[in-house]
Amino acid sequence: MAVPISFPSTTSRFSLPLLFAGQAQKEFFVNQAFSLIDSLMTGTVKESLDTPPIAPIEGESFRIVAPASGDWAGHDDELAIFVGGAWHFVAPQSGMRVFDQQADAFVHFSSGWQVPVEPTQPSGGSTIDAEARQIIAELIEALQKSGVFARTA
């Protein structure tokens, strides 16, 4: 006879709630899990903040930056998702990448959120190579368009 499988109460990666036999109000747990999956699937956050917005909209998600305050205190580096009128927090996993809509750029999690910094375009010098500078400028522009660097005004 096979050994029965035993599941924990949440998923291992994002702590989504799991159902178990005889559980009351199953629809609450299923709806919560679907709402969190819906927000995480897009891989986007509205913006990166240290304080919760005053009037969040259902389903909005944010990347919490230190030092977090208010309802987000103690949740530095986590993702905050507004579901069912309350904040739900998801701890980032190594390799996770999200698109910050406000910054118009991707951020990557690896022992903390890594925000790409646009390199300074070359200037000055005793020998000026116009073709190399043009290629560097085009490379920076391509990385901006792909969301690696935030677009500058």
Side-chain angles (χ1 to χ4, degrees), residues 35-36 39 55-62 80-88:
S35 296
L36 293 172
S39 291
I57 297 171
E58 182 73 17
E60 280 186 328
S61 57
F62 299 86
I81 304 168
F82 194 70
V83 176
W87 291 109
H88 294 265

Side-chain angles (χ1 to χ4, degrees), residues 14-17 27-42 44 52-53 55-62 71-72 79-90:
F14 292 116
S15 297
L16 299 173
E27 63 278 356
F28 171 82
F29 294 93
V30 169
N31 290 341
Q32 178 189 22
F34 282 157
S35 296
L36 293 172
I37 289 168
D38 184 61
S39 291
L40 291 169
M41 275 181 54
T42 62
T44 63
I57 297 171
E58 182 73 17
E60 280 186 328
S61 57
F62 299 86
D71 289 344
W72 292 357
L79 300 178
I81 304 168
F82 194 70
V83 176
W87 291 109
H88 294 265
F89 302 99
V90 176

Side-chain angles (χ1 to χ4, degrees), residues 23-109:
Q23 181 177 10
Q25 299 181 334
K26 286 180 173 59
E27 63 278 356
F28 171 82
F29 294 93
V30 169
N31 290 341
Q32 178 189 22
F34 282 157
S35 296
L36 293 172
I37 289 168
D38 184 61
S39 291
L40 291 169
M41 275 181 54
T42 62
T44 63
V45 294
K46 184 167 183 175
E47 62 185 306
S48 300
L49 300 171
D50 61 0
T51 306
I54 294 171
I57 297 171
E58 182 73 17
E60 280 186 328
S61 57
F62 299 86
R63 182 174 69 94
I64 303 174
V65 296
S69 62
D71 289 344
W72 292 357
H75 294 281
D76 294 355
D77 283 343
E78 294 181 16
L79 300 178
I81 304 168
F82 194 70
V83 176
W87 291 109
H88 294 265
F89 302 99
V90 176
Q93 303 296 310
S94 187
M96 179 182 259
R97 187 173 110 152
V98 297
F99 184 77
D100 184 320
Q101 294 173 326
Q102 179 68 29
D104 198 23
F106 286 99
V107 293
H108 175 261
F109 189 82

Side-chain angles (χ1 to χ4, degrees), residues 11-23:
T11 62
S12 59
R13 182 169 283 177
F14 292 116
S15 297
L16 299 173
L18 294 174
L19 299 178
F20 53 90
Q23 181 177 10

Side-chain angles (χ1 to χ4, degrees), residues 121 134 136-146 149 151:
Q121 293 204 22
Q134 181 60 34
I136 292 169
E138 289 173 10
L139 178 60
I140 291 171
E141 182 181 356
L143 291 170
Q144 287 173 331
K145 287 180 180 177
S146 68
F149 298 134
R151 293 185 183 156

